[in-house]
Amino acid sequence: MSVSFKTCLLIDDNYIDNFVTRKILETGNFAENIIVHSSPHDALNALRKGEILPDVIFLDIRMPSMSGFEFLKEYEKLDLSNKDIVKIFMLSSSLDPTDMRSSSENKYIAQFVHKPLTYKALQELCL
């Protein structure tokens, strides 16, 4: 797989999930830069300050300080030049139909992806 994106932002509070997802993204040559934030608040601050301008975001749903959906409400308020073209993948182990429905109804979410991210799933995202 060739590099699909310049900058990928991964937001997940779980260290092991971040490690695995990052390795899959690196091995899959998914993006030139992979930036990991374990706190959605830190990710929002970095986006606000212009420290990160991602092409794609992998976002967990269930995090202790702010859910993925709460993150998206704050993301909507950001003044980013590329906000409407950033691909956001909701990356979650949730099997809750409400989470899947909410993901499909959110205008920023391109797709719901089940954890753990696999190389096969990554290839399908790039098609």
Side-chain angles (χ1 to χ4, degrees), residues 24-72:
I24 293 289
L25 293 170
E26 289 172 348
T27 303
N29 203 20
F30 186 74
E32 289 178 29
N33 306 303
I34 300 167
I35 300 165
V36 179
H37 277 279
S38 58
S39 161
H41 295 287
D42 291 347
L44 284 167
N45 286 334
L47 288 165
R48 270 189 207 100
K49 292 176 183 176
E51 297 171 356
I52 306 169
L53 191 61
D55 304 292
V56 63
I57 298 172
F58 284 91
L59 177 63
D60 187 22
I61 292 177
R62 291 194 171 50
M63 295 177 280
S65 64
M66 173 186 277
S67 75
F69 294 112
E70 291 168 329
F71 172 89
L72 289 168

mmCIF file of all heavy atoms in Angstrom, residues 24-72:
data_model
loop_
_atom_site.group_PDB
_atom_site.id
_atom_site.type_symbol
_atom_site.label_atom_id
_atom_site.label_comp_id
_atom_site.label_asym_id
_atom_site.label_seq_id
_atom_site.Cartn_x
_atom_site.Cartn_y
_atom_site.Cartn_z
ATOM 1 N N ILE A 24 0.061 -0.834 12.856
ATOM 2 C CA ILE A 24 -0.692 -1.191 11.639
ATOM 3 C C ILE A 24 -0.618 -0.035 10.631
ATOM 4 O O ILE A 24 -0.389 -0.246 9.440
ATOM 5 C CB ILE A 24 -2.165 -1.519 11.967
ATOM 6 C CG1 ILE A 24 -2.263 -2.797 12.807
ATOM 7 C CG2 ILE A 24 -3.012 -1.626 10.701
ATOM 8 C CD1 ILE A 24 -1.936 -4.075 12.080
ATOM 9 N N LEU A 25 -0.790 1.188 11.114
ATOM 10 C CA LEU A 25 -0.733 2.356 10.231
ATOM 11 C C LEU A 25 0.658 2.516 9.620
ATOM 12 O O LEU A 25 0.798 2.814 8.430
ATOM 13 C CB LEU A 25 -1.130 3.625 10.992
ATOM 14 C CG LEU A 25 -2.589 3.705 11.446
ATOM 15 C CD1 LEU A 25 -2.788 4.889 12.388
ATOM 16 C CD2 LEU A 25 -3.523 3.794 10.259
ATOM 17 N N GLU A 26 1.697 2.320 10.441
ATOM 18 C CA GLU A 26 3.074 2.430 9.937
ATOM 19 C C GLU A 26 3.385 1.325 8.940
ATOM 20 O O GLU A 26 3.916 1.582 7.851
ATOM 21 C CB GLU A 26 4.071 2.387 11.097
ATOM 22 C CG GLU A 26 4.062 3.632 11.944
ATOM 23 C CD GLU A 26 4.911 3.525 13.198
ATOM 24 O OE1 GLU A 26 5.356 2.415 13.562
ATOM 25 O OE2 GLU A 26 5.113 4.562 13.840
ATOM 26 N N THR A 27 3.051 0.104 9.295
ATOM 27 C CA THR A 27 3.315 -1.038 8.424
ATOM 28 C C THR A 27 2.547 -0.917 7.118
ATOM 29 O O THR A 27 3.045 -1.282 6.053
ATOM 30 C CB THR A 27 2.935 -2.360 9.129
ATOM 31 O OG1 THR A 27 3.659 -2.433 10.353
ATOM 32 C CG2 THR A 27 3.264 -3.569 8.285
ATOM 33 N N GLY A 28 1.336 -0.378 7.205
ATOM 34 C CA GLY A 28 0.509 -0.204 6.024
ATOM 35 C C GLY A 28 0.869 1.026 5.211
ATOM 36 O O GLY A 28 0.244 1.286 4.188
ATOM 37 N N ASN A 29 1.897 1.783 5.686
ATOM 38 C CA ASN A 29 2.332 2.981 4.976
ATOM 39 C C ASN A 29 1.133 3.895 4.707
ATOM 40 O O ASN A 29 0.965 4.421 3.608
ATOM 41 C CB ASN A 29 3.036 2.603 3.672
ATOM 42 C CG ASN A 29 3.972 3.685 3.198
ATOM 43 O OD1 ASN A 29 4.394 4.530 3.963
ATOM 44 N ND2 ASN A 29 4.273 3.654 1.918
ATOM 45 N N PHE A 30 0.290 4.052 5.732
ATOM 46 C CA PHE A 30 -0.984 4.761 5.614
ATOM 47 C C PHE A 30 -0.818 6.276 5.514
ATOM 48 O O PHE A 30 -1.570 6.938 4.820
ATOM 49 C CB PHE A 30 -1.858 4.400 6.813
ATOM 50 C CG PHE A 30 -3.250 4.941 6.756
ATOM 51 C CD1 PHE A 30 -4.192 4.382 5.903
ATOM 52 C CD2 PHE A 30 -3.630 5.995 7.571
ATOM 53 C CE1 PHE A 30 -5.486 4.876 5.852
ATOM 54 C CE2 PHE A 30 -4.923 6.496 7.530
ATOM 55 C CZ PHE A 30 -5.846 5.936 6.665
ATOM 56 N N ALA A 31 0.159 6.814 6.262
ATOM 57 C CA ALA A 31 0.360 8.262 6.288
ATOM 58 C C ALA A 31 1.833 8.577 6.506
ATOM 59 O O ALA A 31 2.555 7.786 7.111
ATOM 60 C CB ALA A 31 -0.481 8.892 7.402
ATOM 61 N N GLU A 32 2.247 9.750 6.031
ATOM 62 C CA GLU A 32 3.632 10.179 6.239
ATOM 63 C C GLU A 32 3.898 10.426 7.723
ATOM 64 O O GLU A 32 4.957 10.082 8.231
ATOM 65 C CB GLU A 32 3.904 11.467 5.458
ATOM 66 C CG GLU A 32 3.969 11.284 3.962
ATOM 67 C CD GLU A 32 4.192 12.601 3.246
ATOM 68 O OE1 GLU A 32 4.823 13.524 3.821
ATOM 69 O OE2 GLU A 32 3.716 12.715 2.104
ATOM 70 N N ASN A 33 2.938 11.057 8.399
ATOM 71 C CA ASN A 33 3.074 11.389 9.820
ATOM 72 C C ASN A 33 1.919 10.787 10.597
ATOM 73 O O ASN A 33 0.765 10.945 10.189
ATOM 74 C CB ASN A 33 3.044 12.913 10.034
ATOM 75 C CG ASN A 33 4.069 13.627 9.200
ATOM 76 O OD1 ASN A 33 5.249 13.340 9.289
ATOM 77 N ND2 ASN A 33 3.614 14.553 8.365
ATOM 78 N N ILE A 34 2.240 10.142 11.704
ATOM 79 C CA ILE A 34 1.200 9.599 12.583
ATOM 80 C C ILE A 34 1.387 10.245 13.949
ATOM 81 O O ILE A 34 2.439 10.087 14.578
ATOM 82 C CB ILE A 34 1.281 8.067 12.680
ATOM 83 C CG1 ILE A 34 1.107 7.449 11.285
ATOM 84 C CG2 ILE A 34 0.225 7.543 13.654
ATOM 85 C CD1 ILE A 34 1.460 5.989 11.209
ATOM 86 N N ILE A 35 0.383 10.986 14.370
ATOM 87 C CA ILE A 35 0.434 11.694 15.646
ATOM 88 C C ILE A 35 -0.589 11.053 16.573
ATOM 89 O O ILE A 35 -1.753 10.877 16.200
ATOM 90 C CB ILE A 35 0.130 13.189 15.452
ATOM 91 C CG1 ILE A 35 1.174 13.795 14.505
ATOM 92 C CG2 ILE A 35 0.083 13.911 16.786
ATOM 93 C CD1 ILE A 35 0.801 15.136 13.949
ATOM 94 N N VAL A 36 -0.143 10.709 17.776
ATOM 95 C CA VAL A 36 -1.001 10.024 18.739
ATOM 96 C C VAL A 36 -1.256 10.927 19.938
ATOM 97 O O VAL A 36 -0.324 11.499 20.507
ATOM 98 C CB VAL A 36 -0.357 8.700 19.215
ATOM 99 C CG1 VAL A 36 -1.249 7.998 20.230
ATOM 100 C CG2 VAL A 36 -0.053 7.789 18.033
ATOM 101 N N HIS A 37 -2.534 11.062 20.285
ATOM 102 C CA HIS A 37 -2.928 11.768 21.501
ATOM 103 C C HIS A 37 -3.792 10.826 22.327
ATOM 104 O O HIS A 37 -4.781 10.290 21.816
ATOM 105 C CB HIS A 37 -3.711 13.045 21.186
ATOM 106 C CG HIS A 37 -2.841 14.215 20.857
ATOM 107 N ND1 HIS A 37 -2.238 14.982 21.818
ATOM 108 C CD2 HIS A 37 -2.456 14.725 19.670
ATOM 109 C CE1 HIS A 37 -1.524 15.925 21.243
ATOM 110 N NE2 HIS A 37 -1.637 15.786 19.925
ATOM 111 N N SER A 38 -3.434 10.651 23.583
ATOM 112 C CA SER A 38 -4.235 9.802 24.460
ATOM 113 C C SER A 38 -5.351 10.597 25.129
ATOM 114 O O SER A 38 -6.219 10.020 25.776
ATOM 115 C CB SER A 38 -3.350 9.132 25.514
ATOM 116 O OG SER A 38 -2.672 10.110 26.270
ATOM 117 N N SER A 39 -5.335 11.900 24.950
ATOM 118 C CA SER A 39 -6.370 12.763 25.516
ATOM 119 C C SER A 39 -7.066 13.534 24.399
ATOM 120 O O SER A 39 -6.412 14.253 23.637
ATOM 121 C CB SER A 39 -5.740 13.761 26.497
ATOM 122 O OG SER A 39 -6.607 14.855 26.725
ATOM 123 N N PRO A 40 -8.392 13.422 24.313
ATOM 124 C CA PRO A 40 -9.107 14.209 23.310
ATOM 125 C C PRO A 40 -8.965 15.717 23.552
ATOM 126 O O PRO A 40 -8.942 16.503 22.611
ATOM 127 C CB PRO A 40 -10.556 13.750 23.426
ATOM 128 C CG PRO A 40 -10.644 12.954 24.664
ATOM 129 C CD PRO A 40 -9.280 12.550 25.069
ATOM 130 N N HIS A 41 -8.823 16.124 24.826
ATOM 131 C CA HIS A 41 -8.631 17.536 25.148
ATOM 132 C C HIS A 41 -7.313 18.038 24.554
ATOM 133 O O HIS A 41 -7.267 19.123 23.969
ATOM 134 C CB HIS A 41 -8.643 17.758 26.668
ATOM 135 C CG HIS A 41 -9.959 17.453 27.312
ATOM 136 N ND1 HIS A 41 -11.057 18.271 27.182
ATOM 137 C CD2 HIS A 41 -10.353 16.402 28.065
ATOM 138 C CE1 HIS A 41 -12.082 17.749 27.845
ATOM 139 N NE2 HIS A 41 -11.675 16.608 28.382
ATOM 140 N N ASP A 42 -6.246 17.239 24.707
ATOM 141 C CA ASP A 42 -4.941 17.618 24.155
ATOM 142 C C ASP A 42 -4.997 17.687 22.629
ATOM 143 O O ASP A 42 -4.410 18.577 22.015
ATOM 144 C CB ASP A 42 -3.856 16.625 24.585
ATOM 145 C CG ASP A 42 -3.533 16.702 26.069
ATOM 146 O OD1 ASP A 42 -3.964 17.677 26.735
ATOM 147 O OD2 ASP A 42 -2.861 15.785 26.575
ATOM 148 N N ALA A 43 -5.707 16.752 22.026
ATOM 149 C CA ALA A 43 -5.841 16.752 20.567
ATOM 150 C C ALA A 43 -6.579 18.010 20.099
ATOM 151 O O ALA A 43 -6.162 18.656 19.136
ATOM 152 C CB ALA A 43 -6.576 15.496 20.103
ATOM 153 N N LEU A 44 -7.658 18.371 20.784
ATOM 154 C CA LEU A 44 -8.402 19.587 20.433
ATOM 155 C C LEU A 44 -7.529 20.831 20.575
ATOM 156 O O LEU A 44 -7.553 21.711 19.713
ATOM 157 C CB LEU A 44 -9.658 19.730 21.298
ATOM 158 C CG LEU A 44 -10.825 18.829 20.936
ATOM 159 C CD1 LEU A 44 -11.874 18.833 22.043
ATOM 160 C CD2 LEU A 44 -11.446 19.251 19.605
ATOM 161 N N ASN A 45 -6.753 20.889 21.651
ATOM 162 C CA ASN A 45 -5.862 22.035 21.852
ATOM 163 C C ASN A 45 -4.830 22.134 20.736
ATOM 164 O O ASN A 45 -4.545 23.222 20.236
ATOM 165 C CB ASN A 45 -5.176 21.970 23.216
ATOM 166 C CG ASN A 45 -6.128 22.300 24.352
ATOM 167 O OD1 ASN A 45 -7.106 23.015 24.159
ATOM 168 N ND2 ASN A 45 -5.851 21.766 25.531
ATOM 169 N N ALA A 46 -4.267 20.997 20.345
ATOM 170 C CA ALA A 46 -3.280 20.979 19.259
ATOM 171 C C ALA A 46 -3.928 21.413 17.941
ATOM 172 O O ALA A 46 -3.315 22.145 17.160
ATOM 173 C CB ALA A 46 -2.662 19.589 19.132
ATOM 174 N N LEU A 47 -5.152 21.001 17.713
ATOM 175 C CA LEU A 47 -5.873 21.408 16.503
ATOM 176 C C LEU A 47 -6.164 22.912 16.539
ATOM 177 O O LEU A 47 -5.974 23.609 15.537
ATOM 178 C CB LEU A 47 -7.176 20.617 16.367
ATOM 179 C CG LEU A 47 -7.028 19.143 15.988
ATOM 180 C CD1 LEU A 47 -8.327 18.394 16.239
ATOM 181 C CD2 LEU A 47 -6.587 19.010 14.539
ATOM 182 N N ARG A 48 -6.613 23.406 17.694
ATOM 183 C CA ARG A 48 -6.912 24.841 17.840
ATOM 184 C C ARG A 48 -5.686 25.707 17.574
ATOM 185 O O ARG A 48 -5.767 26.759 16.948
ATOM 186 C CB ARG A 48 -7.401 25.135 19.266
ATOM 187 C CG ARG A 48 -8.864 25.014 19.443
ATOM 188 C CD ARG A 48 -9.314 25.521 20.822
ATOM 189 N NE ARG A 48 -10.524 24.832 21.163
ATOM 190 C CZ ARG A 48 -10.614 23.788 21.988
ATOM 191 N NH1 ARG A 48 -9.558 23.332 22.606
ATOM 192 N NH2 ARG A 48 -11.773 23.203 22.206
ATOM 193 N N LYS A 49 -4.543 25.257 18.079
ATOM 194 C CA LYS A 49 -3.293 26.017 17.945
ATOM 195 C C LYS A 49 -2.657 25.866 16.564
ATOM 196 O O LYS A 49 -1.670 26.523 16.271
ATOM 197 C CB LYS A 49 -2.294 25.556 19.007
ATOM 198 C CG LYS A 49 -2.696 25.907 20.418
ATOM 199 C CD LYS A 49 -1.705 25.340 21.404
ATOM 200 C CE LYS A 49 -2.125 25.610 22.833
ATOM 201 N NZ LYS A 49 -1.200 24.957 23.795
ATOM 202 N N GLY A 50 -3.201 24.972 15.756
ATOM 203 C CA GLY A 50 -2.630 24.754 14.434
ATOM 204 C C GLY A 50 -1.382 23.886 14.449
ATOM 205 O O GLY A 50 -0.636 23.851 13.471
ATOM 206 N N GLU A 51 -1.144 23.208 15.547
ATOM 207 C CA GLU A 51 0.029 22.318 15.654
ATOM 208 C C GLU A 51 -0.138 21.071 14.791
ATOM 209 O O GLU A 51 0.849 20.452 14.412
ATOM 210 C CB GLU A 51 0.252 21.918 17.119
ATOM 211 C CG GLU A 51 0.580 23.075 18.012
ATOM 212 C CD GLU A 51 0.590 22.719 19.493
ATOM 213 O OE1 GLU A 51 0.272 21.560 19.859
ATOM 214 O OE2 GLU A 51 0.914 23.608 20.290
ATOM 215 N N ILE A 52 -1.388 20.715 14.525
ATOM 216 C CA ILE A 52 -1.704 19.543 13.711
ATOM 217 C C ILE A 52 -2.739 19.959 12.667
ATOM 218 O O ILE A 52 -3.704 20.645 12.990
ATOM 219 C CB ILE A 52 -2.333 18.414 14.558
ATOM 220 C CG1 ILE A 52 -1.477 18.048 15.747
ATOM 221 C CG2 ILE A 52 -2.591 17.178 13.697
ATOM 222 C CD1 ILE A 52 -2.190 17.131 16.726
ATOM 223 N N LEU A 53 -2.534 19.526 11.440
ATOM 224 C CA LEU A 53 -3.536 19.712 10.391
ATOM 225 C C LEU A 53 -3.694 18.348 9.717
ATOM 226 O O LEU A 53 -3.098 18.073 8.683
ATOM 227 C CB LEU A 53 -3.101 20.785 9.393
ATOM 228 C CG LEU A 53 -4.164 21.241 8.410
ATOM 229 C CD1 LEU A 53 -5.364 21.849 9.135
ATOM 230 C CD2 LEU A 53 -3.589 22.248 7.430
ATOM 231 N N PRO A 54 -4.493 17.472 10.340
ATOM 232 C CA PRO A 54 -4.595 16.097 9.834
ATOM 233 C C PRO A 54 -5.460 15.980 8.581
ATOM 234 O O PRO A 54 -6.348 16.803 8.350
ATOM 235 C CB PRO A 54 -5.237 15.350 11.000
ATOM 236 C CG PRO A 54 -6.078 16.383 11.681
ATOM 237 C CD PRO A 54 -5.319 17.682 11.520
ATOM 238 N N ASP A 55 -5.147 14.974 7.805
ATOM 239 C CA ASP A 55 -5.988 14.596 6.665
ATOM 240 C C ASP A 55 -7.008 13.554 7.110
ATOM 241 O O ASP A 55 -8.070 13.417 6.524
ATOM 242 C CB ASP A 55 -5.151 13.950 5.554
ATOM 243 C CG ASP A 55 -4.023 14.829 5.105
ATOM 244 O OD1 ASP A 55 -4.298 15.869 4.505
ATOM 245 O OD2 ASP A 55 -2.865 14.458 5.363
ATOM 246 N N VAL A 56 -6.616 12.803 8.139
ATOM 247 C CA VAL A 56 -7.442 11.705 8.622
ATOM 248 C C VAL A 56 -7.284 11.600 10.141
ATOM 249 O O VAL A 56 -6.217 11.876 10.683
ATOM 250 C CB VAL A 56 -7.063 10.375 7.921
ATOM 251 C CG1 VAL A 56 -5.647 9.969 8.221
ATOM 252 C CG2 VAL A 56 -8.025 9.252 8.265
ATOM 253 N N ILE A 57 -8.388 11.214 10.802
ATOM 254 C CA ILE A 57 -8.393 11.037 12.254
ATOM 255 C C ILE A 57 -9.016 9.686 12.568
ATOM 256 O O ILE A 57 -10.071 9.339 12.035
ATOM 257 C CB ILE A 57 -9.209 12.145 12.959
ATOM 258 C CG1 ILE A 57 -8.592 13.528 12.707
ATOM 259 C CG2 ILE A 57 -9.328 11.869 14.462
ATOM 260 C CD1 ILE A 57 -9.437 14.702 13.216
ATOM 261 N N PHE A 58 -8.357 8.928 13.433
ATOM 262 C CA PHE A 58 -8.948 7.728 14.026
ATOM 263 C C PHE A 58 -9.321 8.112 15.450
ATOM 264 O O PHE A 58 -8.475 8.564 16.220
ATOM 265 C CB PHE A 58 -7.964 6.549 14.030
ATOM 266 C CG PHE A 58 -7.800 5.911 12.683
ATOM 267 C CD1 PHE A 58 -6.813 6.335 11.808
ATOM 268 C CD2 PHE A 58 -8.640 4.882 12.282
ATOM 269 C CE1 PHE A 58 -6.662 5.755 10.566
ATOM 270 C CE2 PHE A 58 -8.511 4.294 11.038
ATOM 271 C CZ PHE A 58 -7.510 4.735 10.176
ATOM 272 N N LEU A 59 -10.591 7.955 15.789
ATOM 273 C CA LEU A 59 -11.129 8.455 17.049
ATOM 274 C C LEU A 59 -11.844 7.348 17.812
ATOM 275 O O LEU A 59 -12.741 6.700 17.274
ATOM 276 C CB LEU A 59 -12.113 9.593 16.729
ATOM 277 C CG LEU A 59 -12.881 10.246 17.858
ATOM 278 C CD1 LEU A 59 -11.935 10.943 18.831
ATOM 279 C CD2 LEU A 59 -13.893 11.243 17.288
ATOM 280 N N ASP A 60 -11.429 7.155 19.059
ATOM 281 C CA ASP A 60 -12.105 6.192 19.933
ATOM 282 C C ASP A 60 -13.411 6.809 20.427
ATOM 283 O O ASP A 60 -13.541 8.038 20.509
ATOM 284 C CB ASP A 60 -11.187 5.857 21.114
ATOM 285 C CG ASP A 60 -11.722 4.730 21.985
ATOM 286 O OD1 ASP A 60 -12.547 3.925 21.502
ATOM 287 O OD2 ASP A 60 -11.311 4.651 23.156
ATOM 288 N N ILE A 61 -14.374 5.976 20.769
ATOM 289 C CA ILE A 61 -15.644 6.479 21.313
ATOM 290 C C ILE A 61 -15.555 6.654 22.820
ATOM 291 O O ILE A 61 -15.820 7.714 23.361
ATOM 292 C CB ILE A 61 -16.822 5.529 20.989
ATOM 293 C CG1 ILE A 61 -17.113 5.537 19.496
ATOM 294 C CG2 ILE A 61 -18.075 5.961 21.754
ATOM 295 C CD1 ILE A 61 -18.217 4.583 19.082
ATOM 296 N N ARG A 62 -15.179 5.590 23.499
ATOM 297 C CA ARG A 62 -15.236 5.594 24.953
ATOM 298 C C ARG A 62 -13.885 5.952 25.566
ATOM 299 O O ARG A 62 -12.969 5.144 25.590
ATOM 300 C CB ARG A 62 -15.704 4.241 25.454
ATOM 301 C CG ARG A 62 -17.162 4.008 25.096
ATOM 302 C CD ARG A 62 -17.763 2.845 25.846
ATOM 303 N NE ARG A 62 -19.179 2.666 25.739
ATOM 304 C CZ ARG A 62 -19.915 2.624 24.645
ATOM 305 N NH1 ARG A 62 -19.354 2.797 23.493
ATOM 306 N NH2 ARG A 62 -21.209 2.410 24.687
ATOM 307 N N MET A 63 -13.821 7.196 26.053
ATOM 308 C CA MET A 63 -12.639 7.685 26.756
ATOM 309 C C MET A 63 -13.127 8.344 28.032
ATOM 310 O O MET A 63 -14.231 8.909 28.050
ATOM 311 C CB MET A 63 -11.860 8.660 25.871
ATOM 312 C CG MET A 63 -11.289 7.994 24.619
ATOM 313 S SD MET A 63 -10.436 9.140 23.516
ATOM 314 C CE MET A 63 -11.835 9.890 22.661
ATOM 315 N N PRO A 64 -12.354 8.298 29.094
ATOM 316 C CA PRO A 64 -12.858 8.752 30.397
ATOM 317 C C PRO A 64 -13.179 10.245 30.501
ATOM 318 O O PRO A 64 -14.182 10.612 31.091
ATOM 319 C CB PRO A 64 -11.749 8.377 31.381
ATOM 320 C CG PRO A 64 -10.553 8.102 30.567
ATOM 321 C CD PRO A 64 -11.007 7.752 29.189
ATOM 322 N N SER A 65 -12.365 11.103 29.911
ATOM 323 C CA SER A 65 -12.591 12.536 30.114
ATOM 324 C C SER A 65 -13.536 13.157 29.088
ATOM 325 O O SER A 65 -14.171 14.166 29.355
ATOM 326 C CB SER A 65 -11.259 13.284 30.099
ATOM 327 O OG SER A 65 -10.648 13.162 28.828
ATOM 328 N N MET A 66 -13.613 12.546 27.904
ATOM 329 C CA MET A 66 -14.461 13.071 26.838
ATOM 330 C C MET A 66 -14.684 11.950 25.834
ATOM 331 O O MET A 66 -13.730 11.330 25.377
ATOM 332 C CB MET A 66 -13.749 14.255 26.164
ATOM 333 C CG MET A 66 -14.448 14.787 24.940
ATOM 334 S SD MET A 66 -13.468 16.071 24.085
ATOM 335 C CE MET A 66 -13.887 17.499 25.050
ATOM 336 N N SER A 67 -15.924 11.709 25.481
ATOM 337 C CA SER A 67 -16.205 10.647 24.505
ATOM 338 C C SER A 67 -15.848 11.124 23.100
ATOM 339 O O SER A 67 -15.673 12.327 22.860
ATOM 340 C CB SER A 67 -17.683 10.254 24.550
ATOM 341 O OG SER A 67 -18.473 11.245 23.914
ATOM 342 N N GLY A 68 -15.783 10.193 22.177
ATOM 343 C CA GLY A 68 -15.543 10.545 20.786
ATOM 344 C C GLY A 68 -16.625 11.464 20.245
ATOM 345 O O GLY A 68 -16.346 12.388 19.475
ATOM 346 N N PHE A 69 -17.852 11.242 20.649
ATOM 347 C CA PHE A 69 -18.958 12.087 20.183
ATOM 348 C C PHE A 69 -18.870 13.496 20.779
ATOM 349 O O PHE A 69 -19.172 14.483 20.115
ATOM 350 C CB PHE A 69 -20.311 11.437 20.475
ATOM 351 C CG PHE A 69 -20.522 10.172 19.702
ATOM 352 C CD1 PHE A 69 -20.569 8.943 20.341
ATOM 353 C CD2 PHE A 69 -20.644 10.188 18.311
ATOM 354 C CE1 PHE A 69 -20.738 7.765 19.624
ATOM 355 C CE2 PHE A 69 -20.819 9.026 17.587
ATOM 356 C CZ PHE A 69 -20.865 7.807 18.247
ATOM 357 N N GLU A 70 -18.435 13.595 22.043
ATOM 358 C CA GLU A 70 -18.221 14.918 22.644
ATOM 359 C C GLU A 70 -17.070 15.629 21.934
ATOM 360 O O GLU A 70 -17.138 16.847 21.702
ATOM 361 C CB GLU A 70 -17.926 14.772 24.141
ATOM 362 C CG GLU A 70 -19.112 14.311 24.943
ATOM 363 C CD GLU A 70 -18.766 13.895 26.363
ATOM 364 O OE1 GLU A 70 -17.646 13.391 26.607
ATOM 365 O OE2 GLU A 70 -19.642 14.055 27.230
ATOM 366 N N PHE A 71 -16.036 14.883 21.585
ATOM 367 C CA PHE A 71 -14.928 15.443 20.809
ATOM 368 C C PHE A 71 -15.448 16.050 19.508
ATOM 369 O O PHE A 71 -15.071 17.155 19.125
ATOM 370 C CB PHE A 71 -13.878 14.365 20.502
ATOM 371 C CG PHE A 71 -12.810 14.822 19.546
ATOM 372 C CD1 PHE A 71 -11.653 15.429 20.011
ATOM 373 C CD2 PHE A 71 -12.963 14.665 18.175
ATOM 374 C CE1 PHE A 71 -10.664 15.862 19.131
ATOM 375 C CE2 PHE A 71 -12.001 15.096 17.281
ATOM 376 C CZ PHE A 71 -10.842 15.699 17.765
ATOM 377 N N LEU A 72 -16.325 15.327 18.830
ATOM 378 C CA LEU A 72 -16.856 15.799 17.548
ATOM 379 C C LEU A 72 -17.667 17.084 17.695
ATOM 380 O O LEU A 72 -17.656 17.939 16.807
ATOM 381 C CB LEU A 72 -17.684 14.705 16.878
ATOM 382 C CG LEU A 72 -16.854 13.535 16.337
ATOM 383 C CD1 LEU A 72 -17.753 12.377 15.963
ATOM 384 C CD2 LEU A 72 -15.988 13.964 15.175
#
